[in-house]
Amino acid sequence: MDPAHARLRAHIEATHPISDAEFDTLRALPSLMRMKKGEHLFQQGDISKYVAHVDKGCLRYYTNNADGLERILYFAVEGWWVGDLESFYSNEPTANSLQALEPCELLAFNLAAFEQAKETVPSFRKFLEIKWRRAYTGNQERTFQAMTSTPEERYEQFVKKYPTLMERIPLYHIAAYLGITPEALSRIRARRVGR
């Protein structure tokens, strides 16, 4: 088994067991997709054609608000899943964009392959149910934190939750994720160092 599929299997089994036979069926369905730094899998106005497992690299999923300000909804690194499910299933244009911040390798499922995986691999379907439930809960938590936390608290939570991302992602992207200006982030970081 190639390393990308071995890592996918380990990722699935960390949440739900999968048999050899089921994984043999599953691993034939996605295609390996390589992205260059700066390349988009899709942009605002495109239709999201893939749901993908990140094998290598880091991506940002972002949107621009009515004022033209960029808001990063999440960063995705090794072991994350990416895509825009609403666009993927509805075949309607997405309001969001997904861009590689580093060279990336993805195991990408088109709609037919993803539906086949869910229908023919029960363990994968169960895995997805668990992951989607956790993602929903995580989104609720992040929304609550955004409404109730100070910028300093949001930064502290980011550093605690994603300690290795600080070295991989430009600070202006982290500021966009936190919903603050790069200047405000610089002040927060300076105060943190001064403690």
Side-chain angles (χ1 to χ4, degrees):
M1 183 183 315
D2 66 90
H5 286 95
R7 285 187 287 269
L8 175 62
R9 182 168 188 170
H11 172 70
I12 293 169
E13 289 189 325
T15 299
H16 187 75
I18 187 167
S19 69
D20 290 343
E22 284 182 306
F23 192 74
D24 284 344
T25 300
L26 179 68
R27 76 178 179 173
L29 297 172
S31 57
L32 180 63
M33 182 179 291
R34 290 183 171 88
M35 296 177 66
K36 296 175 183 171
K37 180 179 179 179
E39 187 178 352
H40 283 83
L41 187 60
F42 55 82
Q43 290 182 279
Q44 187 175 18
D46 292 345
I47 294 170
S48 177
K49 296 290 188 185
Y50 301 97
V51 169
H53 176 258
V54 181
D55 186 55
K56 294 180 182 176
C58 178
L59 303 98
R60 68 183 178 121
Y61 182 72
Y62 68 98
T63 191
N64 293 305
N65 67 18
D67 297 327
L69 296 174
E70 183 179 291
R71 287 301 306 262
I72 295 177
L73 306 171
Y74 66 76
F75 297 106
V77 294
E78 294 84 3
W80 281 58
W81 288 82
V82 294
D84 185 312
L85 287 177
E86 183 177 350
S87 175
F88 182 69
Y89 279 115
S90 70
N91 205 38
E92 296 289 329
T94 177
N96 305 307
S97 301
L98 182 66
Q99 182 185 38
L101 296 177
E102 302 172 345
C104 293
E105 292 186 8
L106 312 175
L107 288 174
F109 293 81
N110 63 26
L111 182 58
F114 197 62
E115 288 302 299
Q116 185 178 348
K118 291 192 311 180
E119 290 170 15
T120 61
V121 185
S123 293
F124 184 65
R125 186 172 54 249
K126 183 63 178 175
F127 161 80
L128 289 174
E129 289 171 11
I130 294 166
K131 292 299 272 188
W132 287 344
R133 186 173 62 239
R134 289 178 184 168
Y136 178 78
T137 303
N139 284 338
Q140 284 185 314
E141 182 180 307
R142 180 156 185 251
T143 300
F144 178 75
Q145 288 174 348
M147 293 187 311
T148 61
S149 301
T150 66
E152 289 85 355
E153 290 168 336
R154 290 197 301 275
Y155 176 74
E156 292 293 334
Q157 290 162 356
F158 179 84
V159 171
K160 183 186 266 186
K161 191 168 185 179
Y162 307 109
T164 61
L165 286 185
M166 296 300 295
E167 294 153 16
R168 296 175 71 176
I169 298 172
L171 290 179
Y172 62 90
H173 284 326
I174 295 172
Y177 175 82
L178 296 173
I180 59 177
T181 65
E183 295 77 16
L185 178 57
S186 293
R187 288 192 296 273
I188 291 168
R189 287 169 52 84
R191 284 195 298 271
R192 192 171 187 255
V193 170
R195 287 188 206 160

mmCIF file with all atom_site columns, all heavy atoms in Angstrom, residues 25-41:
data_model
loop_
_atom_site.group_PDB
_atom_site.id
_atom_site.type_symbol
_atom_site.label_atom_id
_atom_site.label_alt_id
_atom_site.label_comp_id
_atom_site.label_asym_id
_atom_site.label_entity_id
_atom_site.label_seq_id
_atom_site.pdbx_PDB_ins_code
_atom_site.Cartn_x
_atom_site.Cartn_y
_atom_site.Cartn_z
_atom_site.occupancy
_atom_site.B_iso_or_equiv
_atom_site.pdbx_formal_charge
_atom_site.auth_seq_id
_atom_site.auth_comp_id
_atom_site.auth_asym_id
_atom_site.auth_atom_id
_atom_site.pdbx_PDB_model_num
ATOM 1   N N   . THR A 1 25 ? -11.743 -1.559 -1.246  1.00 0.00 ? 25 THR A N   1
ATOM 2   C CA  . THR A 1 25 ? -12.779 -0.917 -2.062  1.00 0.00 ? 25 THR A CA  1
ATOM 3   C C   . THR A 1 25 ? -12.612 0.590  -2.035  1.00 0.00 ? 25 THR A C   1
ATOM 4   O O   . THR A 1 25 ? -12.651 1.264  -3.075  1.00 0.00 ? 25 THR A O   1
ATOM 5   C CB  . THR A 1 25 ? -14.186 -1.302 -1.550  1.00 0.00 ? 25 THR A CB  1
ATOM 6   O OG1 . THR A 1 25 ? -14.336 -2.721 -1.629  1.00 0.00 ? 25 THR A OG1 1
ATOM 7   C CG2 . THR A 1 25 ? -15.283 -0.620 -2.351  1.00 0.00 ? 25 THR A CG2 1
ATOM 8   N N   . LEU A 1 26 ? -12.396 1.139  -0.835  1.00 0.00 ? 26 LEU A N   1
ATOM 9   C CA  . LEU A 1 26 ? -12.298 2.584  -0.666  1.00 0.00 ? 26 LEU A CA  1
ATOM 10  C C   . LEU A 1 26 ? -11.094 3.173  -1.388  1.00 0.00 ? 26 LEU A C   1
ATOM 11  O O   . LEU A 1 26 ? -11.200 4.187  -2.082  1.00 0.00 ? 26 LEU A O   1
ATOM 12  C CB  . LEU A 1 26 ? -12.234 2.932  0.821   1.00 0.00 ? 26 LEU A CB  1
ATOM 13  C CG  . LEU A 1 26 ? -12.112 4.423  1.147   1.00 0.00 ? 26 LEU A CG  1
ATOM 14  C CD1 . LEU A 1 26 ? -13.388 5.151  0.766   1.00 0.00 ? 26 LEU A CD1 1
ATOM 15  C CD2 . LEU A 1 26 ? -11.794 4.630  2.623   1.00 0.00 ? 26 LEU A CD2 1
ATOM 16  N N   . ARG A 1 27 ? -9.959  2.552  -1.259  1.00 0.00 ? 27 ARG A N   1
ATOM 17  C CA  . ARG A 1 27 ? -8.731  3.171  -1.773  1.00 0.00 ? 27 ARG A CA  1
ATOM 18  C C   . ARG A 1 27 ? -8.690  3.258  -3.299  1.00 0.00 ? 27 ARG A C   1
ATOM 19  O O   . ARG A 1 27 ? -7.912  4.024  -3.850  1.00 0.00 ? 27 ARG A O   1
ATOM 20  C CB  . ARG A 1 27 ? -7.491  2.467  -1.231  1.00 0.00 ? 27 ARG A CB  1
ATOM 21  C CG  . ARG A 1 27 ? -7.167  1.155  -1.851  1.00 0.00 ? 27 ARG A CG  1
ATOM 22  C CD  . ARG A 1 27 ? -5.895  0.630  -1.252  1.00 0.00 ? 27 ARG A CD  1
ATOM 23  N NE  . ARG A 1 27 ? -5.573  -0.667 -1.819  1.00 0.00 ? 27 ARG A NE  1
ATOM 24  C CZ  . ARG A 1 27 ? -4.466  -1.302 -1.588  1.00 0.00 ? 27 ARG A CZ  1
ATOM 25  N NH1 . ARG A 1 27 ? -3.550  -0.778 -0.797  1.00 0.00 ? 27 ARG A NH1 1
ATOM 26  N NH2 . ARG A 1 27 ? -4.253  -2.480 -2.127  1.00 0.00 ? 27 ARG A NH2 1
ATOM 27  N N   . ALA A 1 28 ? -9.541  2.517  -3.974  1.00 0.00 ? 28 ALA A N   1
ATOM 28  C CA  . ALA A 1 28 ? -9.593  2.590  -5.434  1.00 0.00 ? 28 ALA A CA  1
ATOM 29  C C   . ALA A 1 28 ? -10.378 3.810  -5.924  1.00 0.00 ? 28 ALA A C   1
ATOM 30  O O   . ALA A 1 28 ? -10.336 4.132  -7.111  1.00 0.00 ? 28 ALA A O   1
ATOM 31  C CB  . ALA A 1 28 ? -10.237 1.323  -5.988  1.00 0.00 ? 28 ALA A CB  1
ATOM 32  N N   . LEU A 1 29 ? -11.073 4.518  -5.025  1.00 0.00 ? 29 LEU A N   1
ATOM 33  C CA  . LEU A 1 29 ? -12.001 5.563  -5.455  1.00 0.00 ? 29 LEU A CA  1
ATOM 34  C C   . LEU A 1 29 ? -11.418 6.971  -5.569  1.00 0.00 ? 29 LEU A C   1
ATOM 35  O O   . LEU A 1 29 ? -11.749 7.688  -6.517  1.00 0.00 ? 29 LEU A O   1
ATOM 36  C CB  . LEU A 1 29 ? -13.218 5.573  -4.525  1.00 0.00 ? 29 LEU A CB  1
ATOM 37  C CG  . LEU A 1 29 ? -14.034 4.273  -4.563  1.00 0.00 ? 29 LEU A CG  1
ATOM 38  C CD1 . LEU A 1 29 ? -15.098 4.272  -3.485  1.00 0.00 ? 29 LEU A CD1 1
ATOM 39  C CD2 . LEU A 1 29 ? -14.649 4.091  -5.941  1.00 0.00 ? 29 LEU A CD2 1
ATOM 40  N N   . PRO A 1 30 ? -10.556 7.434  -4.657  1.00 0.00 ? 30 PRO A N   1
ATOM 41  C CA  . PRO A 1 30 ? -10.038 8.801  -4.821  1.00 0.00 ? 30 PRO A CA  1
ATOM 42  C C   . PRO A 1 30 ? -8.857  8.838  -5.787  1.00 0.00 ? 30 PRO A C   1
ATOM 43  O O   . PRO A 1 30 ? -8.220  7.821  -6.057  1.00 0.00 ? 30 PRO A O   1
ATOM 44  C CB  . PRO A 1 30 ? -9.587  9.172  -3.404  1.00 0.00 ? 30 PRO A CB  1
ATOM 45  C CG  . PRO A 1 30 ? -9.179  7.878  -2.793  1.00 0.00 ? 30 PRO A CG  1
ATOM 46  C CD  . PRO A 1 30 ? -10.120 6.838  -3.379  1.00 0.00 ? 30 PRO A CD  1
ATOM 47  N N   . SER A 1 31 ? -8.581  10.033 -6.285  1.00 0.00 ? 31 SER A N   1
ATOM 48  C CA  . SER A 1 31 ? -7.392  10.234 -7.112  1.00 0.00 ? 31 SER A CA  1
ATOM 49  C C   . SER A 1 31 ? -6.409  11.115 -6.351  1.00 0.00 ? 31 SER A C   1
ATOM 50  O O   . SER A 1 31 ? -6.819  11.963 -5.548  1.00 0.00 ? 31 SER A O   1
ATOM 51  C CB  . SER A 1 31 ? -7.766  10.882 -8.446  1.00 0.00 ? 31 SER A CB  1
ATOM 52  O OG  . SER A 1 31 ? -8.437  12.110 -8.229  1.00 0.00 ? 31 SER A OG  1
ATOM 53  N N   . LEU A 1 32 ? -5.132  10.887 -6.585  1.00 0.00 ? 32 LEU A N   1
ATOM 54  C CA  . LEU A 1 32 ? -4.101  11.706 -5.950  1.00 0.00 ? 32 LEU A CA  1
ATOM 55  C C   . LEU A 1 32 ? -4.012  13.019 -6.717  1.00 0.00 ? 32 LEU A C   1
ATOM 56  O O   . LEU A 1 32 ? -3.830  13.023 -7.932  1.00 0.00 ? 32 LEU A O   1
ATOM 57  C CB  . LEU A 1 32 ? -2.751  10.992 -5.948  1.00 0.00 ? 32 LEU A CB  1
ATOM 58  C CG  . LEU A 1 32 ? -1.605  11.768 -5.302  1.00 0.00 ? 32 LEU A CG  1
ATOM 59  C CD1 . LEU A 1 32 ? -1.867  12.007 -3.817  1.00 0.00 ? 32 LEU A CD1 1
ATOM 60  C CD2 . LEU A 1 32 ? -0.289  11.019 -5.488  1.00 0.00 ? 32 LEU A CD2 1
ATOM 61  N N   . MET A 1 33 ? -4.164  14.113 -6.006  1.00 0.00 ? 33 MET A N   1
ATOM 62  C CA  . MET A 1 33 ? -4.134  15.435 -6.612  1.00 0.00 ? 33 MET A CA  1
ATOM 63  C C   . MET A 1 33 ? -2.996  16.231 -5.978  1.00 0.00 ? 33 MET A C   1
ATOM 64  O O   . MET A 1 33 ? -2.911  16.314 -4.751  1.00 0.00 ? 33 MET A O   1
ATOM 65  C CB  . MET A 1 33 ? -5.469  16.139 -6.375  1.00 0.00 ? 33 MET A CB  1
ATOM 66  C CG  . MET A 1 33 ? -5.593  17.503 -6.985  1.00 0.00 ? 33 MET A CG  1
ATOM 67  S SD  . MET A 1 33 ? -7.227  18.214 -6.658  1.00 0.00 ? 33 MET A SD  1
ATOM 68  C CE  . MET A 1 33 ? -8.254  17.146 -7.666  1.00 0.00 ? 33 MET A CE  1
ATOM 69  N N   . ARG A 1 34 ? -2.139  16.788 -6.813  1.00 0.00 ? 34 ARG A N   1
ATOM 70  C CA  . ARG A 1 34 ? -1.043  17.629 -6.322  1.00 0.00 ? 34 ARG A CA  1
ATOM 71  C C   . ARG A 1 34 ? -1.370  19.087 -6.622  1.00 0.00 ? 34 ARG A C   1
ATOM 72  O O   . ARG A 1 34 ? -1.808  19.412 -7.726  1.00 0.00 ? 34 ARG A O   1
ATOM 73  C CB  . ARG A 1 34 ? 0.271   17.231 -6.979  1.00 0.00 ? 34 ARG A CB  1
ATOM 74  C CG  . ARG A 1 34 ? 0.772   15.882 -6.512  1.00 0.00 ? 34 ARG A CG  1
ATOM 75  C CD  . ARG A 1 34 ? 2.123   15.525 -7.129  1.00 0.00 ? 34 ARG A CD  1
ATOM 76  N NE  . ARG A 1 34 ? 2.676   14.332 -6.510  1.00 0.00 ? 34 ARG A NE  1
ATOM 77  C CZ  . ARG A 1 34 ? 2.427   13.097 -6.913  1.00 0.00 ? 34 ARG A CZ  1
ATOM 78  N NH1 . ARG A 1 34 ? 1.621   12.896 -7.938  1.00 0.00 ? 34 ARG A NH1 1
ATOM 79  N NH2 . ARG A 1 34 ? 2.976   12.069 -6.303  1.00 0.00 ? 34 ARG A NH2 1
ATOM 80  N N   . MET A 1 35 ? -1.127  19.944 -5.634  1.00 0.00 ? 35 MET A N   1
ATOM 81  C CA  . MET A 1 35 ? -1.371  21.376 -5.801  1.00 0.00 ? 35 MET A CA  1
ATOM 82  C C   . MET A 1 35 ? -0.089  22.143 -5.507  1.00 0.00 ? 35 MET A C   1
ATOM 83  O O   . MET A 1 35 ? 0.635   21.807 -4.573  1.00 0.00 ? 35 MET A O   1
ATOM 84  C CB  . MET A 1 35 ? -2.476  21.849 -4.848  1.00 0.00 ? 35 MET A CB  1
ATOM 85  C CG  . MET A 1 35 ? -3.826  21.237 -5.090  1.00 0.00 ? 35 MET A CG  1
ATOM 86  S SD  . MET A 1 35 ? -5.046  21.797 -3.870  1.00 0.00 ? 35 MET A SD  1
ATOM 87  C CE  . MET A 1 35 ? -5.158  23.543 -4.281  1.00 0.00 ? 35 MET A CE  1
ATOM 88  N N   . LYS A 1 36 ? 0.159   23.170 -6.281  1.00 0.00 ? 36 LYS A N   1
ATOM 89  C CA  . LYS A 1 36 ? 1.291   24.052 -6.031  1.00 0.00 ? 36 LYS A CA  1
ATOM 90  C C   . LYS A 1 36 ? 0.893   25.104 -5.001  1.00 0.00 ? 36 LYS A C   1
ATOM 91  O O   . LYS A 1 36 ? -0.297  25.431 -4.869  1.00 0.00 ? 36 LYS A O   1
ATOM 92  C CB  . LYS A 1 36 ? 1.722   24.741 -7.322  1.00 0.00 ? 36 LYS A CB  1
ATOM 93  C CG  . LYS A 1 36 ? 2.226   23.795 -8.382  1.00 0.00 ? 36 LYS A CG  1
ATOM 94  C CD  . LYS A 1 36 ? 2.526   24.540 -9.663  1.00 0.00 ? 36 LYS A CD  1
ATOM 95  C CE  . LYS A 1 36 ? 2.959   23.542 -10.740 1.00 0.00 ? 36 LYS A CE  1
ATOM 96  N NZ  . LYS A 1 36 ? 3.062   24.182 -12.044 1.00 0.00 ? 36 LYS A NZ  1
ATOM 97  N N   . LYS A 1 37 ? 1.884   25.641 -4.320  1.00 0.00 ? 37 LYS A N   1
ATOM 98  C CA  . LYS A 1 37 ? 1.637   26.744 -3.391  1.00 0.00 ? 37 LYS A CA  1
ATOM 99  C C   . LYS A 1 37 ? 0.946   27.877 -4.144  1.00 0.00 ? 37 LYS A C   1
ATOM 100 O O   . LYS A 1 37 ? 1.360   28.264 -5.233  1.00 0.00 ? 37 LYS A O   1
ATOM 101 C CB  . LYS A 1 37 ? 2.957   27.227 -2.791  1.00 0.00 ? 37 LYS A CB  1
ATOM 102 C CG  . LYS A 1 37 ? 2.803   28.378 -1.820  1.00 0.00 ? 37 LYS A CG  1
ATOM 103 C CD  . LYS A 1 37 ? 4.136   28.793 -1.235  1.00 0.00 ? 37 LYS A CD  1
ATOM 104 C CE  . LYS A 1 37 ? 3.962   29.964 -0.284  1.00 0.00 ? 37 LYS A CE  1
ATOM 105 N NZ  . LYS A 1 37 ? 5.247   30.364 0.322   1.00 0.00 ? 37 LYS A NZ  1
ATOM 106 N N   . GLY A 1 38 ? -0.147  28.387 -3.566  1.00 0.00 ? 38 GLY A N   1
ATOM 107 C CA  . GLY A 1 38 ? -0.905  29.477 -4.174  1.00 0.00 ? 38 GLY A CA  1
ATOM 108 C C   . GLY A 1 38 ? -2.033  29.027 -5.081  1.00 0.00 ? 38 GLY A C   1
ATOM 109 O O   . GLY A 1 38 ? -2.913  29.823 -5.428  1.00 0.00 ? 38 GLY A O   1
ATOM 110 N N   . GLU A 1 39 ? -2.037  27.758 -5.465  1.00 0.00 ? 39 GLU A N   1
ATOM 111 C CA  . GLU A 1 39 ? -3.081  27.232 -6.356  1.00 0.00 ? 39 GLU A CA  1
ATOM 112 C C   . GLU A 1 39 ? -4.387  27.041 -5.594  1.00 0.00 ? 39 GLU A C   1
ATOM 113 O O   . GLU A 1 39 ? -4.388  26.698 -4.416  1.00 0.00 ? 39 GLU A O   1
ATOM 114 C CB  . GLU A 1 39 ? -2.603  25.904 -6.938  1.00 0.00 ? 39 GLU A CB  1
ATOM 115 C CG  . GLU A 1 39 ? -3.498  25.318 -7.997  1.00 0.00 ? 39 GLU A CG  1
ATOM 116 C CD  . GLU A 1 39 ? -2.949  24.026 -8.578  1.00 0.00 ? 39 GLU A CD  1
ATOM 117 O OE1 . GLU A 1 39 ? -1.795  23.650 -8.281  1.00 0.00 ? 39 GLU A OE1 1
ATOM 118 O OE2 . GLU A 1 39 ? -3.688  23.389 -9.342  1.00 0.00 ? 39 GLU A OE2 1
ATOM 119 N N   . HIS A 1 40 ? -5.501  27.265 -6.278  1.00 0.00 ? 40 HIS A N   1
ATOM 120 C CA  . HIS A 1 40 ? -6.833  27.072 -5.693  1.00 0.00 ? 40 HIS A CA  1
ATOM 121 C C   . HIS A 1 40 ? -7.436  25.749 -6.166  1.00 0.00 ? 40 HIS A C   1
ATOM 122 O O   . HIS A 1 40 ? -7.357  25.425 -7.351  1.00 0.00 ? 40 HIS A O   1
ATOM 123 C CB  . HIS A 1 40 ? -7.770  28.206 -6.092  1.00 0.00 ? 40 HIS A CB  1
ATOM 124 C CG  . HIS A 1 40 ? -7.557  29.471 -5.337  1.00 0.00 ? 40 HIS A CG  1
ATOM 125 N ND1 . HIS A 1 40 ? -6.581  30.388 -5.689  1.00 0.00 ? 40 HIS A ND1 1
ATOM 126 C CD2 . HIS A 1 40 ? -8.187  29.966 -4.237  1.00 0.00 ? 40 HIS A CD2 1
ATOM 127 C CE1 . HIS A 1 40 ? -6.625  31.397 -4.840  1.00 0.00 ? 40 HIS A CE1 1
ATOM 128 N NE2 . HIS A 1 40 ? -7.588  31.178 -3.954  1.00 0.00 ? 40 HIS A NE2 1
ATOM 129 N N   . LEU A 1 41 ? -8.067  25.032 -5.252  1.00 0.00 ? 41 LEU A N   1
ATOM 130 C CA  . LEU A 1 41 ? -8.876  23.878 -5.642  1.00 0.00 ? 41 LEU A CA  1
ATOM 131 C C   . LEU A 1 41 ? -10.195 24.385 -6.226  1.00 0.00 ? 41 LEU A C   1
ATOM 132 O O   . LEU A 1 41 ? -10.734 23.830 -7.168  1.00 0.00 ? 41 LEU A O   1
ATOM 133 C CB  . LEU A 1 41 ? -9.125  22.955 -4.449  1.00 0.00 ? 41 LEU A CB  1
ATOM 134 C CG  . LEU A 1 41 ? -9.819  21.643 -4.757  1.00 0.00 ? 41 LEU A CG  1
ATOM 135 C CD1 . LEU A 1 41 ? -9.004  20.803 -5.738  1.00 0.00 ? 41 LEU A CD1 1
ATOM 136 C CD2 . LEU A 1 41 ? -10.060 20.842 -3.476  1.00 0.00 ? 41 LEU A CD2 1
#
